[in-house]
Every structure is written in C-alpha cells, then in structure tokens.
Amino acid sequence: MKVGLVLSGGAAYGFAHIGVIKTLLKHNIPIDVIAGTSMGALVGGVYAAGVSVEEMEKTLQGFSRKHIVDFNPFVLTDTGLLYGKKVSNFLRKLVGDKKIEDCDKKYCAIASDLYSGKKYVFKKGDLVTAIRASISIPVVFKPVKIDKMCLIDGGAHDNLPVKDARKLGADVVISIDVCSAYQKPTHVKNAVEVAFSAVNMMVANLVNEKEDKGDIYIKINQPGMTPDKFSEEYARKSVAYGEKYTKRFIPKIKEVLGLK
C-alpha cells in the first residue's frame, strides 16, 4: 500500500512536521506521497525534493525571522507587508530549481486563488514557486501572481488536503494537524501577530469541520508556543513535539499497514 503524508499549515507550529517525518522514517514507515499546505507544503516539499531529514532538521531549525523579513516600504499601496523574496532565496538554496514532477516523492502544494475564489493545487512546475504561493499568509506576504491567478495561503481553502493525497495515489493517509490545537493569544503586539493568529483561528475551524481527516489523524498540541515564533529554540521544541505525538501512533500505523 502506498502511504500518503498530509501536512497542515500552522506557521511556526509546522516545524513539528520535521519531527513527524523523522519518527516515521526511524520506524521504517514508508512515505510515498506528500500533500501539504503552507508550512506543511514547505517542510513536505523540501523532503520530497530529496533533502535528508538530518539536513532538514539542521537547516530548517536555523530558519528564523531573518530568512523571512524583507519589509515592503510600499505596503500601504501594495498587497503585503513582506515581499517574500528572502524566503524564496532560502528555499532556492535548499532545493535549487527542482520541479515538482522531478521530486523523489509524489507531491502537491495547496494555494488559494483570490480572483476565482477556488483552491489551486500545484502538481507540477517550479517547486519553490509552489511553496512560496502556499505560504502566502494574507497581509503578511505579497500574493504570488501566475497567469490570471492571485495566489495566497492554501489554508484559506484546505489546510488538511487529504483528498489530494488520495488523488496522487495514496492508499493510506496519515494526516498531521498542527493548527487546530493552536494557543489562543492573550494579547497581540503588532499586525503580523494579528495576521498569524487570525489565519490559524480560521484554518483551525476549517480542519475541525472536515469530514475526511485521513485514515490516521494526528493532532499535535504545542503548549507555550505561538505561530509567529520563528527561532531556533522554538523550532527545536516544535520538532520534539512532532516526534512525541507521532511515536504514540506508530503501533496503530504499523497495524493499519500490516507491518511488524
């Protein structure tokens, strides 16, 4: 049976996906298909491109605000606080000019088209462009414009793309939800924190209402963390949460897959 791994969005909570992949591989659980949204598209895309989990852990744990922040001075007359060029450059150094169809694993990334109001699924083309579109949190990042589309964060439509993993050929879907157990803020200090918190609240509600959450659904709670905390310290903690929760499900996963 082909195993599909679905990775939700959740901004900095998404570092937990590294711990998930690390634990699955440690217990010889195959990963044949990856479908991701936002931070899930980022982590899943880097792994699908052939970057080892060890390199992912080392590199992405060092992923901080300096790799994201490139303020747009024309924000009042433009479409985002950040240009998003820095994060694209960071990803380009990791995966180069890899195309989705040339990845080691079957992969898709979810984005949302503002103009049509529909979900857009990247199944081919430039991997970095797909990831950049999928992580385009409204107001925070400028949308990605392709042809006649204006693409923003995929969480606006589908933060847990189980059906898309099945369409790629997954017989058994393991879905990882890092957003619906998000910590509600007691206060917010700036527009970025408002945007991150608002998006996580919205996508958490969408996931909670979803009927098909996969054959094995793992909801990862990360107390003491917030979605905007991009730092090495928080990344390490998030990876550890991913390992901890996934380890609990290993017996069930092996049972479903018929593995010893």
Side-chain angles (χ1 to χ4, degrees), residues 210-224:
K210 200 174 183 70
E211 289 184 10
D212 185 1
K213 294 182 182 179
D215 302 291
I216 297 162
Y217 169 65
I218 304 175
K219 183 175 180 177
I220 298 177
N221 188 21
Q222 301 181 58

Side-chain angles (χ1 to χ4, degrees), residues 181-223:
Y182 83 106
Q183 307 298 303
K184 300 175 181 64
T186 54
H187 66 280
V188 288
K189 294 179 288 187
N190 53 53
V192 172
E193 288 188 5
V194 171
F196 274 111
S197 296
V199 169
N200 269 275
M201 179 174 64
M202 175 186 71
V203 298
N205 289 332
L206 288 175
V207 169
N208 286 330
E209 293 172 1
K210 200 174 183 70
E211 289 184 10
D212 185 1
K213 294 182 182 179
D215 302 291
I216 297 162
Y217 169 65
I218 304 175
K219 183 175 180 177
I220 298 177
N221 188 21
Q222 301 181 58

Side-chain angles (χ1 to χ4, degrees), residues 102-118:
D102 297 327
C103 284
D104 293 359
K105 310 287 183 183
K106 283 191 174 183
Y107 168 83
C108 70
I110 309 302
S112 302
D113 178 22
L114 278 178
Y115 292 158
S116 69
K118 296 179 180 179

Side-chain angles (χ1 to χ4, degrees), residues 3 54 123 141 164 172 195 202 221 245:
V3 178
E54 292 80 15
K123 290 186 269 189
F141 286 111
D164 295 286
V172 173
M202 175 186 71
N221 188 21
Y245 278 85

Side-chain angles (χ1 to χ4, degrees), residues 17 34 52 62 102 112 124 132 168 172 177 207 259:
H17 294 316
I34 300 173
S52 70
D102 297 327
S112 302
K124 62 181 181 178
R132 170 63 180 83
L168 284 180
V172 173
D177 173 11
V207 169
L259 300 175

